[in-house]
Amino acid sequence: RIRTNSYFFLKASASTKLTARLSARLEGFNLLNQRSVRQISISPTLYAENQYILLSRMVLAQMQYNF
């Protein structure tokens, strides 16, 4: 029996220039909050199973001022 898993990742960003010198940016990573990814490799001489734990949902805000 072969079972396949689908993984969905969502990353988004938005930025705007507020004034001639001030800009803002908002970025979101792993917005669907995927917890882990599992990978299975099979060959005639090898069976390997790996699971990777991912960083949780993250949102970053940035303000930039040019002098």
Side-chain angles (χ1 to χ4, degrees), residues 8 12 16 21-22 35-36 42 44 47 57-58 63 67:
F8 298 99
T16 186
R21 294 185 174 204
L22 184 64
R35 301 281 183 186
S36 64
I42 301 172
Y47 173 84
R57 179 183 302 127
M58 187 181 310
M63 296 290 287
F67 292 97

Side-chain angles (χ1 to χ4, degrees), residues 21-51:
R21 294 185 174 204
L22 184 64
S23 62
R25 181 177 181 91
L26 188 65
E27 290 184 272
F29 303 94
N30 193 12
L31 295 176
L32 300 176
N33 208 23
Q34 182 70 42
R35 301 281 183 186
S36 64
V37 174
R38 190 168 153 195
Q39 176 185 13
I40 298 173
S41 301
I42 301 172
S43 72
T45 59
L46 174 70
Y47 173 84
E49 187 173 334
N50 297 312
Q51 183 171 0

